[in-house]
Amino acid sequence: MRSVVVLYEHKSISRTCKKVLQSECITFNLNDGDASFSDVTVRAGIASLTIPFLAWGTGFLDYDNDGWLDIFVANGHVYPGVDKQDWGTTWAQRPLLLRNVNGAKFEEVPPATGSGLAVVVPARGAAFGDLFNDGHIDVVLNNVDSAPTLLRNVVKNSNHWVTFKLVGGPKSPRDAIGAKVFVTTGSIRQRADVFSGGSYASSSDQRLHFGLGAATKIDKIEIHWPSGLKQEITVPALDRIYTVVEAKGIVAP
């Protein structure tokens, strides 16, 4: 079983996403905020899209920088011999990218011929990060008995973004594990947390990336450090990567 926790509807409570075997859909659970979860898989439009696949590495990323977290799923069967059986499935499978439609539901991004979403591989791990420092989150797949697959994000639009690399002070971990950042633009407040491992047997970029959509300014940026310190910062421009040191602020553009 693989689980991922994420903010889904721009609320400060988590959702989980998990899947076990072929012919089962990914389960999407809504945190009710009272130590219980509600299954919203069907309501979110995920059930029918994920049944044909056997999921492994799963992660949330804002691939188009519209301010809503999307879902990426790496797929591949557990039995290499499945290709010799008439089971309606394959050992190597293509990944899934599910676009978040304004927090209401998810819809599949079509696997256009020749694109990374049409690559058929026996994937396991999936790691996420802005590998080219261009404001777009890329994906690396770890495949069984074959080379890794790099999926570069080549989406072109006018949406804005901002990324923060946090450096903890004397009373926090140097890598800022456990820190939380809240970014407010208009009526939308986003949250991202610094953590290490995730997805499946993977470690992703620990920098925190925020898609801002059409917003041209950020109204508020709050950082909650592991030490308990709460810090507010401002940025001079969007579409940049900033290094922020606890208690000091921005030290590099």
Short mmCIF file of all heavy atoms in Angstrom, two decimals, residues 96-129:
data_model
loop_
_atom_site.label_atom_id
_atom_site.label_comp_id
_atom_site.label_asym_id
_atom_site.label_seq_id
_atom_site.Cartn_x
_atom_site.Cartn_y
_atom_site.Cartn_z
N LEU A 96 0.02 8.09 -15.19
CA LEU A 96 -1.20 8.89 -15.22
C LEU A 96 -0.92 10.29 -14.67
O LEU A 96 -0.22 10.43 -13.67
CB LEU A 96 -2.30 8.25 -14.38
CG LEU A 96 -2.99 6.99 -14.89
CD1 LEU A 96 -3.92 6.44 -13.81
CD2 LEU A 96 -3.76 7.29 -16.17
N LEU A 97 -1.46 11.29 -15.33
CA LEU A 97 -1.45 12.65 -14.81
C LEU A 97 -2.89 13.11 -14.73
O LEU A 97 -3.59 13.17 -15.75
CB LEU A 97 -0.63 13.58 -15.71
CG LEU A 97 -0.59 15.06 -15.29
CD1 LEU A 97 -0.01 15.21 -13.88
CD2 LEU A 97 0.21 15.88 -16.29
N LEU A 98 -3.35 13.39 -13.51
CA LEU A 98 -4.73 13.79 -13.28
C LEU A 98 -4.76 15.27 -12.88
O LEU A 98 -4.20 15.66 -11.86
CB LEU A 98 -5.36 12.93 -12.18
CG LEU A 98 -5.25 11.41 -12.39
CD1 LEU A 98 -5.90 10.67 -11.23
CD2 LEU A 98 -5.87 11.00 -13.72
N ARG A 99 -5.43 16.06 -13.68
CA ARG A 99 -5.48 17.50 -13.46
C ARG A 99 -6.58 17.86 -12.47
O ARG A 99 -7.71 17.40 -12.57
CB ARG A 99 -5.72 18.24 -14.78
CG ARG A 99 -5.79 19.75 -14.64
CD ARG A 99 -5.86 20.43 -16.00
NE ARG A 99 -6.01 21.87 -15.85
CZ ARG A 99 -7.19 22.52 -15.83
NH1 ARG A 99 -8.31 21.83 -15.96
NH2 ARG A 99 -7.23 23.83 -15.67
N ASN A 100 -6.21 18.68 -11.50
CA ASN A 100 -7.15 19.17 -10.49
C ASN A 100 -7.97 20.32 -11.10
O ASN A 100 -7.43 21.36 -11.49
CB ASN A 100 -6.37 19.68 -9.27
CG ASN A 100 -7.26 20.05 -8.11
OD1 ASN A 100 -8.42 20.39 -8.27
ND2 ASN A 100 -6.69 20.01 -6.91
N VAL A 101 -9.28 20.11 -11.19
CA VAL A 101 -10.16 21.12 -11.78
C VAL A 101 -10.77 21.97 -10.67
O VAL A 101 -11.84 21.67 -10.13
CB VAL A 101 -11.27 20.47 -12.63
CG1 VAL A 101 -12.12 21.54 -13.31
CG2 VAL A 101 -10.68 19.53 -13.67
N ASN A 102 -10.03 22.98 -10.26
CA ASN A 102 -10.50 23.95 -9.26
C ASN A 102 -10.98 23.31 -7.96
O ASN A 102 -11.92 23.79 -7.32
CB ASN A 102 -11.63 24.81 -9.85
CG ASN A 102 -11.17 25.60 -11.06
OD1 ASN A 102 -10.03 26.05 -11.13
ND2 ASN A 102 -12.05 25.75 -12.04
N GLY A 103 -10.34 22.22 -7.55
CA GLY A 103 -10.67 21.59 -6.28
C GLY A 103 -11.96 20.81 -6.29
O GLY A 103 -12.38 20.30 -5.25
N ALA A 104 -12.61 20.68 -7.44
CA ALA A 104 -13.90 19.99 -7.52
C ALA A 104 -13.75 18.54 -7.94
O ALA A 104 -14.44 17.65 -7.42
CB ALA A 104 -14.83 20.71 -8.49
N LYS A 105 -12.86 18.26 -8.89
CA LYS A 105 -12.65 16.91 -9.39
C LYS A 105 -11.32 16.85 -10.12
O LYS A 105 -10.65 17.87 -10.32
CB LYS A 105 -13.78 16.51 -10.33
CG LYS A 105 -13.84 17.35 -11.60
CD LYS A 105 -14.94 16.85 -12.54
CE LYS A 105 -14.95 17.67 -13.83
NZ LYS A 105 -15.97 17.17 -14.78
N PHE A 106 -10.94 15.63 -10.53
CA PHE A 106 -9.73 15.43 -11.32
C PHE A 106 -10.13 14.88 -12.68
O PHE A 106 -11.07 14.08 -12.79
CB PHE A 106 -8.77 14.47 -10.63
CG PHE A 106 -8.14 15.03 -9.38
CD1 PHE A 106 -8.77 14.88 -8.15
CD2 PHE A 106 -6.93 15.69 -9.44
CE1 PHE A 106 -8.20 15.40 -7.00
CE2 PHE A 106 -6.36 16.22 -8.29
CZ PHE A 106 -6.98 16.07 -7.06
N GLU A 107 -9.39 15.28 -13.71
CA GLU A 107 -9.59 14.72 -15.04
C GLU A 107 -8.23 14.33 -15.62
O GLU A 107 -7.21 14.97 -15.34
CB GLU A 107 -10.31 15.71 -15.95
CG GLU A 107 -9.58 17.02 -16.15
CD GLU A 107 -10.35 18.01 -17.01
OE1 GLU A 107 -11.59 17.88 -17.11
OE2 GLU A 107 -9.71 18.92 -17.57
N GLU A 108 -8.20 13.27 -16.43
CA GLU A 108 -6.94 12.78 -16.98
C GLU A 108 -6.41 13.71 -18.05
O GLU A 108 -7.15 14.18 -18.92
CB GLU A 108 -7.11 11.38 -17.55
CG GLU A 108 -5.80 10.79 -18.07
CD GLU A 108 -5.94 9.40 -18.64
OE1 GLU A 108 -7.09 8.91 -18.73
OE2 GLU A 108 -4.91 8.80 -19.00
N VAL A 109 -5.10 13.97 -18.00
CA VAL A 109 -4.43 14.67 -19.08
C VAL A 109 -4.11 13.63 -20.15
O VAL A 109 -3.43 12.64 -19.87
CB VAL A 109 -3.14 15.35 -18.59
CG1 VAL A 109 -2.42 16.03 -19.75
CG2 VAL A 109 -3.46 16.37 -17.50
N PRO A 110 -4.60 13.78 -21.36
CA PRO A 110 -4.44 12.75 -22.39
C PRO A 110 -2.97 12.43 -22.67
O PRO A 110 -2.13 13.34 -22.73
CB PRO A 110 -5.11 13.36 -23.62
CG PRO A 110 -6.05 14.38 -23.08
CD PRO A 110 -5.38 14.93 -21.86
N PRO A 111 -2.65 11.14 -22.85
CA PRO A 111 -1.27 10.74 -23.18
C PRO A 111 -0.99 10.92 -24.66
O PRO A 111 -1.05 9.96 -25.43
CB PRO A 111 -1.24 9.26 -22.76
CG PRO A 111 -2.65 8.79 -22.98
CD PRO A 111 -3.53 9.98 -22.65
N ALA A 112 -0.67 12.11 -25.06
CA ALA A 112 -0.44 12.39 -26.48
C ALA A 112 0.71 11.54 -27.01
O ALA A 112 1.72 11.31 -26.33
CB ALA A 112 -0.12 13.87 -26.68
N THR A 113 0.58 11.08 -28.24
CA THR A 113 1.61 10.25 -28.86
C THR A 113 2.96 10.97 -28.87
O THR A 113 3.05 12.13 -29.26
CB THR A 113 1.20 9.91 -30.31
OG1 THR A 113 -0.05 9.23 -30.30
CG2 THR A 113 2.27 9.03 -30.97
N GLY A 114 3.98 10.28 -28.39
CA GLY A 114 5.32 10.86 -28.34
C GLY A 114 5.62 11.65 -27.07
O GLY A 114 6.76 12.07 -26.87
N SER A 115 4.62 11.84 -26.22
CA SER A 115 4.83 12.58 -24.98
C SER A 115 5.28 11.64 -23.87
O SER A 115 5.18 10.41 -23.98
CB SER A 115 3.55 13.30 -24.55
OG SER A 115 2.59 12.36 -24.07
N GLY A 116 5.74 12.21 -22.76
CA GLY A 116 6.16 11.40 -21.63
C GLY A 116 5.03 10.62 -21.01
O GLY A 116 5.26 9.55 -20.42
N LEU A 117 3.81 11.10 -21.15
CA LEU A 117 2.67 10.40 -20.57
C LEU A 117 2.31 9.15 -21.36
O LEU A 117 1.52 8.33 -20.90
CB LEU A 117 1.46 11.33 -20.50
CG LEU A 117 1.60 12.53 -19.57
CD1 LEU A 117 0.34 13.39 -19.62
CD2 LEU A 117 1.88 12.08 -18.14
N ALA A 118 2.89 9.00 -22.56
CA ALA A 118 2.65 7.82 -23.38
C ALA A 118 3.75 6.78 -23.23
O ALA A 118 3.68 5.71 -23.84
CB ALA A 118 2.50 8.22 -24.85
N VAL A 119 4.76 7.07 -22.41
CA VAL A 119 5.86 6.13 -22.20
C VAL A 119 5.35 4.91 -21.42
O VAL A 119 4.70 5.06 -20.38
CB VAL A 119 7.00 6.80 -21.42
CG1 VAL A 119 8.05 5.78 -21.00
CG2 VAL A 119 7.64 7.89 -22.26
N VAL A 120 5.65 3.72 -21.91
CA VAL A 120 5.19 2.48 -21.28
C VAL A 120 6.39 1.80 -20.62
O VAL A 120 7.30 1.32 -21.30
CB VAL A 120 4.53 1.54 -22.31
CG1 VAL A 120 4.09 0.24 -21.64
CG2 VAL A 120 3.34 2.23 -22.95
N VAL A 121 6.42 1.78 -19.28
CA VAL A 121 7.55 1.24 -18.52
C VAL A 121 7.04 0.53 -17.26
O VAL A 121 5.95 0.83 -16.78
CB VAL A 121 8.53 2.36 -18.10
CG1 VAL A 121 9.25 2.94 -19.30
CG2 VAL A 121 7.80 3.46 -17.33
N PRO A 122 7.83 -0.41 -16.72
CA PRO A 122 7.47 -1.04 -15.43
C PRO A 122 7.94 -0.16 -14.28
O PRO A 122 8.94 -0.44 -13.62
CB PRO A 122 8.21 -2.38 -15.48
CG PRO A 122 9.42 -2.10 -16.30
CD PRO A 122 9.02 -1.05 -17.31
N ALA A 123 7.23 0.92 -14.03
CA ALA A 123 7.69 1.94 -13.07
C ALA A 123 7.40 1.52 -11.64
O ALA A 123 6.49 0.77 -11.35
CB ALA A 123 7.01 3.27 -13.37
N ARG A 124 8.22 2.05 -10.74
CA ARG A 124 8.02 1.88 -9.30
C ARG A 124 8.07 3.25 -8.62
O ARG A 124 7.09 3.84 -8.32
CB ARG A 124 9.07 0.91 -8.72
CG ARG A 124 8.95 -0.54 -9.23
CD ARG A 124 7.62 -1.16 -8.82
NE ARG A 124 7.53 -2.57 -9.19
CZ ARG A 124 6.96 -3.01 -10.29
NH1 ARG A 124 6.45 -2.15 -11.17
NH2 ARG A 124 6.89 -4.31 -10.55
N GLY A 125 9.27 3.76 -8.37
CA GLY A 125 9.39 5.05 -7.70
C GLY A 125 9.09 6.21 -8.62
O GLY A 125 9.27 6.13 -9.84
N ALA A 126 8.63 7.30 -8.03
CA ALA A 126 8.43 8.55 -8.77
C ALA A 126 8.88 9.69 -7.87
O ALA A 126 8.39 9.85 -6.75
CB ALA A 126 6.97 8.73 -9.17
N ALA A 127 9.86 10.45 -8.35
CA ALA A 127 10.37 11.60 -7.60
C ALA A 127 10.05 12.87 -8.36
O ALA A 127 10.04 12.88 -9.60
CB ALA A 127 11.87 11.48 -7.38
N PHE A 128 9.81 13.96 -7.63
CA PHE A 128 9.31 15.19 -8.23
C PHE A 128 10.21 16.37 -7.87
O PHE A 128 10.69 16.48 -6.74
CB PHE A 128 7.88 15.47 -7.74
CG PHE A 128 6.94 14.30 -7.95
CD1 PHE A 128 6.84 13.30 -7.00
CD2 PHE A 128 6.20 14.20 -9.11
CE1 PHE A 128 5.99 12.22 -7.18
CE2 PHE A 128 5.35 13.12 -9.31
CZ PHE A 128 5.24 12.13 -8.34
N GLY A 129 10.41 17.27 -8.82
CA GLY A 129 11.19 18.46 -8.53
C GLY A 129 11.45 19.28 -9.78
O GLY A 129 11.32 18.80 -10.91
#
